Amino acid sequence: MWSDLARMGKEAEGRSIKGLISPERVATFSVDACDMRFDYSKTTMDPAARDHLLAMCDKAGLEDKRRAMFGAEPINETENRAVLHTALRNLDGGAVMLDERDVMPKVLGTLARMEGFARAVREGNFRGEGGTITDVVNIGIGGSDLGPAMATLALAPYHDGPNCHFVSNVDGAHIADVLGPLDPTRTLIIVASKTFTTIETMTNAATAKAWMAERVRDPSAQFAALSTAQDKTSAFGIAETRVFGFEDWVGGRYSMWGPIGLSLLIAIGPEAFRAFLRGAEAMDNHFRAAEPAQNMPVMLALAGIWHNQGCGHATRAVLPYEQRLSRLPAYLQQLEMESNGKRVSMDGKDLAVDSGPVVWGEPGTNGQHAFYQLIHQGTRVVPCEFMVGAEGFEEELPHQHRLLIANCLAQAEALMKGRTLDEAKDLIRDQFKGDELERQARHRVFPGNRPSTMLLYPKLTPETFGKIVALYEHRVFVEGVLLGINSFDQWGVELGKELAKALEPVVSGEQGTDGKDASTATLVEWLQKNGA
Ligand SMILES: O=P(O)(O)OC[C@H]1O[C@](O)(CO)[C@@H](O)[C@@H]1O
């Protein structure tokens, strides 16, 4: 089936996207769901390719695998775990049975505790030694940082709680710059770590504790923890009442819907946080019920598979025309690349095709003045995933939002249409003549026929934001199923961690460089000579 897909991708190389576009195609190559529209008509995918991709979903057993995920089967086989982040937003509370026990009472109980704590912080009933909490610092990395950091920024118009800050990097510059201006007596530190062993997080947490201890008698009283490892949170000195636990069936990069979302909950309050969960729940329900061709996550995934494994485009750009989604590309880098960046399939064999793509991006319109040059005229084709809301929050600046929308749609149009040599010549005919006209015009040619998809939504409310993130989560799941990958482990991050641990005493000079390869040893020596 993969070879047929590759053949179809090859055949599509000469196909004109512009030539495909018709009202009928736009209607049938779009999916409406959850008040959003996903349009994939500006791609080279034709009905035959789509049928083939849908048949691949059947062959891969997508329906059964989806049922297995929601049904709490241990689909994360290499770690023998269920994958139940969807339970964290199952607000209607229908039973989710794992090992014959319903996980929902505990999930909803933890949510209620989080809400109680968030209210206490927001309303000044939980206080620091110096008074009400003015600042919250979330210390975490990867899934324990990217989700809440992205979400807090995305939902800034709803932010009416204390200031929220995020520290992730082990580079001391990060924590120093964040803590520097804060008042320790009025700061709450949240240590977010599923395992509570991650070196970056534990190092930053210790630094924060020492910083607080200089001015606060009982620093632990201004710490909260979000983790699956409650023995470790108590060893760190954090009282149980401020520990919000979750289970190993929530993957780190899928975890912001539960305790890892505490900083967001404190920022926007329980009502908006529930709306965010409800949005994701609506997308879950859609994903579970809609037939594949009308299923937004499935079709977003198939567009991705078409571009990567079908047409051979190794990267995809995510381009939100929404400044507040500026951290979405970074979030998706972890979600997609940590989930599907794998070369061995579930059965332990080499993958038959390329793994998931390189994901990158920036918000528009900023990207337009940076890397769009390559997207329009470079030799590589980069499928672009645009997204934009119909409405912004800045009621006093409607013309700016219209300009934003116009730019978003124009970029997709320009990528599709391009500009021919004759059109380019017409633009500069009065400036150049003869060979010089030809030479100059060639620089102004846009090959066009570059694929893009478009996601439209009404406005970036908490509910819509929840839908968008859940859409991408399920997209990753579907792509993983087609590739035969376990999207829920991340063994590829381990080796670097082990080597860093072993290198630390070498960098500090406690151990020599013997046994290290010549390149690494020389690099260490250079750094030591220069101050390390
Ligand atoms: O929440 P933890 O356990 O500190 O892990 C942080 C991140 O580290 C990783 O394990 C990768 O090293 C991610 O999967 C995870 O989100």
Side-chain angles (χ1 to χ4, degrees):
M1 291 207 107
W2 288 112
S3 55
D4 288 336
L5 186 73
R7 179 183 44 76
M8 290 177 159
K10 199 93 201 110
E11 283 164 14
E13 273 172 20
R15 189 175 295 148
S16 155
I17 300 175
K18 206 167 51 171
L20 288 176
I21 294 292
S22 69
E24 201 229 326
R25 175 171 170 93
V26 174
T28 53
F29 278 65
S30 291
V31 179
D32 286 325
C34 300
D35 301 321
M36 303 197 294
R37 164 159 295 197
F38 170 60
D39 176 340
Y40 59 101
S41 64
K42 288 194 190 80
T43 66
T44 55
M45 191 195 297
D46 65 354
R50 181 171 59 185
D51 288 349
H52 185 72
L53 287 158
L54 288 166
M56 287 178 72
C57 291
D58 276 349
K59 177 124 193 285
L62 175 61
E63 215 173 291
D64 284 347
K65 299 224 160 95
R66 184 177 54 196
R67 200 174 307 118
M69 176 170 75
F70 283 97
E73 288 177 31
I75 61 166
N76 174 357
E77 287 179 16
T78 56
E79 296 179 309
N80 191 29
R81 289 176 187 166
V83 172
L84 279 181
H85 50 278
T86 49
L88 301 176
R89 59 226 190 185
N90 175 29
L91 285 186
D92 82 9
V96 176
M97 303 302 290
L98 176 64
D99 298 333
E100 293 171 18
R101 284 186 45 199
D102 182 8
V103 303
M104 287 316 299
K106 200 164 171 194
V107 166
L108 295 176
T110 303
L111 175 60
R113 278 185 60 229
M114 286 164 61
E115 289 174 331
F117 182 63
R119 272 198 198 93
V121 172
R122 288 163 58 85
E123 292 164 10
N125 297 323
F126 174 87
R127 299 163 75 84
E129 272 181 28
T132 51
I133 296 295
T134 53
D135 294 89
V136 175
V137 180
N138 183 87
I139 298 180
I141 197 165
S144 299
D145 165 75
L146 288 163
M150 162 185 72
T152 304
L153 185 59
L155 300 178
Y158 298 84
H159 193 153
D160 54 4
N163 302 318
C164 283
H165 313 266
F166 294 86
V167 172
S168 49
N169 203 330
V170 78
D171 182 347
H174 201 178
I175 194 152
D177 287 353
V178 169
L179 296 185
L182 304 188
D183 174 355
T185 70
R186 300 184 68 185
T187 297
L188 168 69
I189 305 279
I190 298 178
V191 186
S193 176
K194 177 175 168 179
T195 54
F196 231 71
T197 56
T198 304
I199 190 91
E200 292 91 335
T201 301
M202 298 327 295
T203 306
N204 278 323
T207 301
K209 205 166 175 184
W211 166 78
M212 199 170 266
E214 283 179 18
R215 296 265 311 276
V216 169
R217 263 169 293 124
D218 181 9
S220 300
Q222 282 174 228
F223 270 67
L226 322 172
S227 185
T228 56
Q230 297 191 19
D231 50 329
K232 299 197 172 68
T233 58
S234 5
F236 190 86
I238 303 177
E240 257 177 49
T241 48
R242 291 187 310 284
V243 175
F244 301 90
F246 55 106
E247 308 295 325
D248 66 6
W249 39 256
V250 180
R253 54 194 174 273
Y254 298 86
S255 63
M256 74 163 148
W257 316 99
I260 294 295
L262 182 65
S263 47
L264 173 68
L265 171 53
I266 294 174
I268 65 175
E271 207 179 303
F273 190 78
R274 278 195 181 237
F276 161 64
L277 299 183
R278 263 198 310 278
E281 188 182 24
M283 185 54 74
D284 295 343
N285 292 338
H286 163 74
F287 178 52
R288 293 176 84 165
E291 54 144 321
Q294 295 308 321
N295 194 308
M296 200 178 272
V298 172
M299 293 317 301
L300 179 62
L302 295 188
I305 294 279
W306 172 245
H307 287 140
N308 184 7
Q309 288 78 12
C311 305
H313 307 318
T315 86
R316 72 167 62 122
V318 182
L319 306 166
Y321 277 66
E322 180 88 60
Q323 180 58 30
R324 295 190 178 106
L325 287 182
S326 59
R327 293 297 286 160
L328 179 70
Y331 174 82
L332 291 180
Q333 283 176 338
Q334 186 195 18
L335 182 66
E336 303 214 11
M337 292 160 78
E338 199 168 74
S339 297
N340 289 342
K342 291 162 191 168
R343 57 199 292 284
V344 172
S345 64
M346 205 71 123
D347 54 10
K349 306 227 167 78
D350 285 349
L351 223 57
V353 285
D354 279 334
S355 60
V358 177
V359 179
W360 55 288
E362 267 289 307
T365 57
N366 293 10
Q368 291 175 202
H369 299 272
F371 54 78
Y372 278 40
Q373 164 65 41
L374 179 146
I375 291 180
H376 283 289
Q377 288 190 319
T379 52
R380 289 185 185 84
V381 174
V382 180
C384 293
E385 301 192 349
F386 293 100
M387 59 181 81
V388 69
E391 236 191 295
F393 284 86
E394 288 59 44
E395 280 164 21
E396 67 294 359
L397 302 170
H399 60 293
Q400 293 205 204
H401 196 75
R402 284 195 295 271
L403 204 51
L404 185 73
I405 291 178
N407 269 278
C408 180
L409 300 184
Q411 289 298 330
E413 193 184 351
L415 285 168
M416 173 178 71
K417 282 190 176 160
R419 175 179 284 154
T420 63
L421 184 62
D422 283 344
E423 287 167 341
K425 281 184 182 168
D426 286 345
L427 284 177
I428 51 171
R429 218 173 275 287
D430 53 348
Q431 297 170 55
F432 303 102
K433 295 281 168 274
D435 286 354
E436 188 56 7
L437 174 62
E438 172 92 10
R439 194 173 77 84
Q440 289 288 346
R442 281 179 58 77
H443 292 281
R444 291 154 172 87
V445 167
F446 290 70
N449 215 33
R450 304 216 151 173
S452 69
T453 62
M454 181 73 67
L455 180 70
L456 302 179
Y457 49 88
K459 189 173 182 177
L460 197 64
T461 59
E463 198 159 347
T464 299
F465 177 63
K467 288 173 187 172
I468 293 173
V469 181
L471 165 67
Y472 271 87
E473 283 182 351
H474 294 318
R475 177 263 192 114
V476 167
F477 172 76
V478 175
E479 288 196 11
V481 167
L482 259 73
L483 292 170
I485 277 174
N486 176 5
S487 300
F488 301 101
D489 62 11
Q490 58 284 320
W491 298 109
V493 302
E494 294 304 325
L495 179 59
K497 285 185 194 173
E498 284 161 27
L499 294 182
K501 204 165 167 194
L503 259 175
E504 213 258 306
V506 179
V507 173
S508 71
E510 234 172 277
Q511 283 175 21
T513 53
D514 310 347
K516 285 284 153 204
D517 64 88
S519 170
T520 308
T522 312
L523 294 171
V524 169
E525 281 152 18
W526 190 95
L527 288 162
Q528 285 171 335
K529 257 187 231 139
N530 286 278

